[in-house]
Amino acid sequence: MGKIGIGLNLEAVRTSHKNFEWGVEFAADLGYEYIEPMVHWGRELLSEARYFHSVSMLDDPYRIKDCVEKHGIKLSAFSSHSQASKPEIAVEYLKQAARFAKEAGAPIINTHEGHKQPWTTAEEDFVLIKYSLTEALKVCERRGIKIGFEMHQTYSLDPDLYDKCLNLVDSPNLGANYDTGNAHLGGHDAVEWFDRVKDKVIHVHAKDISIEQSDAERGKVMGTAVGCACGDGVVDYPAIFEICRDLPQDIVFSVECETLEQAERSVKYLKEIRG
C-alpha cells in the first residue's frame, strides 16, 4: 500500500512576506515532511528582495535542493501553474519547470487549464490544452517527472470534463493534482469525486473551506487561492484518508492555507487522523 505524506504549500507564508528559505525552515520546524514551492519565470521584485516565497527558474535549482536537504524534508511537487489553454505560456513554462524539477529533486509539477478566452470554442480549448500537455510531457517523460493536473478553472471543475482533461494525452506521467477545496467550491462532494479519480491521483492540495466561505461562494467561483486550517472547515479528510489507505501509490497532502497559525494547526490535525 502507498504512504500518506503531509506537506506544506508555501502559499502559507505569502501573507507574512517571508522568503523561500524561511518557509522551508518554518515547515520543517512544524513537523511537515514535504514542501511544495512555487516557481516562476524571469525575475520578480519581491522574490529578489526576499519578501516572497516564489523561486525563479533562472536561479540554480540546487538552491532548492540544498535547502530542503539541510532541513531534513523533501519536495512533494512544484507549484508551476500555467495556463494550459494558452500554449504561448504553458509550453515553455512547463518544459522549464520539468528541467528545473529534475535537478532540484521534485517529482511532480502542478498546473491547470486556465481561464476561458472569449474568442475560442470549447473544442478549440481542448486542442490547445492537449497541445500544451503533449509538448510538456515529452520533456517530463525523459526525466521521470509527472504533471499533476488540478481542477481549478474553466473546465476541470466539472467531473466529466476533468476526466477528459486527464485523458487528453496517453501518458503514465499525467495524473491528478486533486484539490479538496476547489472540488467542494465547485459544488461537488469532495470525497465522492476523490473516489472517482483515485487511481489517477498523484498529489493532493489539502485545502479546507470554512463554513462561511462555503455558504458565500460554493457553486459561484472557480476554486480559491487558499483555504482555512485543515480540520476547521467542511472537507471530510478522514474519509479521504481512508480511500488513500487502499491505494498503491504514495500521495502527499500539501496544505494550502492562508496563515502561519493555520499551517501549524493543519499539520497537527492531518498527522492525528493519519495515525
Side-chain angles (χ1 to χ4, degrees):
M1 297 299 173
K3 298 178 181 178
I4 298 173
I6 309 297
L8 181 66
N9 184 300
L10 288 190
E11 279 287 272
V13 309
R14 171 163 54 92
T15 56
S16 299
H17 308 297
K18 302 296 185 180
N19 63 28
F20 167 75
E21 284 78 10
W22 190 96
V24 173
E25 183 174 4
F26 170 75
D29 288 346
L30 289 183
Y32 280 97
E33 301 151 353
Y34 296 85
I35 61 157
E36 180 186 357
M38 178 192 293
V39 292
H40 64 268
W41 258 350
R43 296 297 181 180
E44 196 278 326
L45 177 61
L46 293 179
S47 294
E48 293 305 312
R50 302 299 169 95
Y51 296 131
F52 191 66
H53 62 89
S54 187
V55 176
S56 172
M57 289 187 285
L58 295 180
D59 281 356
D60 186 346
Y62 275 69
R63 172 188 171 190
I64 292 178
K65 181 180 176 66
D66 291 347
C67 186
V68 296
E69 290 180 351
K70 174 184 176 181
H71 293 287
I73 59 178
K74 299 177 181 179
L75 297 169
S76 67
F78 278 158
S79 179
S80 54
H81 286 281
S82 53
Q83 312 264 344
S85 60
K86 294 182 178 180
E88 74 276 16
I89 299 174
V91 171
E92 295 305 325
Y93 191 105
L94 291 173
K95 286 162 63 177
Q96 176 63 14
R99 293 188 289 263
F100 199 78
K102 179 62 176 179
E103 284 202 64
I108 297 167
I109 56 175
N110 289 323
T111 192
H112 64 281
E113 79 273 30
H115 293 282
K116 179 79 179 75
Q117 300 305 309
W119 57 86
T120 57
T121 65
E123 182 179 5
E124 290 167 340
D125 286 336
F126 277 103
V127 172
L128 295 172
I129 296 167
K130 180 177 181 179
Y131 178 85
S132 295
L133 291 176
T134 299
E135 286 294 309
L137 283 163
K138 290 178 183 179
V139 177
C140 289
E141 289 171 353
R142 295 194 65 182
R143 291 163 175 80
I145 303 297
K146 294 185 178 182
I147 292 179
F149 198 90
E150 181 176 339
M151 73 277 281
H152 207 324
Q153 296 290 344
T154 307
Y155 302 109
S156 56
L157 285 173
D158 177 285
D160 290 335
L161 294 181
Y162 187 52
D163 287 347
K164 183 174 181 177
C165 291
L166 295 176
N167 289 286
L168 282 173
V169 185
D170 183 15
S171 171
N173 290 62
L174 177 61
N177 177 47
Y178 189 87
D179 190 300
T180 55
N182 290 348
H184 175 82
L185 286 178
H188 307 285
D189 185 297
V191 178
E192 291 180 1
W193 196 357
F194 185 89
D195 191 54
R196 171 173 172 161
V197 298
K198 61 186 178 184
D199 294 335
K200 290 184 175 292
V201 174
I202 58 175
H203 194 262
V204 171
H205 276 171
K207 182 190 294 174
D208 212 343
I209 303 298
S210 69
I211 294 174
E212 293 79 11
Q213 184 178 9
S214 178
D215 289 344
E217 298 184 350
R218 193 175 192 201
K220 302 175 183 177
V221 298
M222 292 190 295
T224 188
V226 289
C228 62
C230 292
D232 284 359
V234 298
V235 177
D236 189 351
Y237 284 104
I240 294 176
F241 273 32
E242 282 305 307
I243 296 173
C244 288
R245 296 186 201 283
D246 293 327
L247 298 178
Q249 70 268 33
D250 294 346
I251 299 175
V252 174
F253 281 69
S254 182
V255 172
E256 282 196 323
C257 61
E258 189 170 12
T259 69
L260 305 181
E261 186 270 338
Q262 289 174 358
E264 182 175 5
R265 287 193 287 117
S266 293
V267 69
K268 290 179 180 177
Y269 170 76
L270 292 177
K271 283 190 171 182
E272 180 180 335
I273 65 171
R274 181 183 64 178

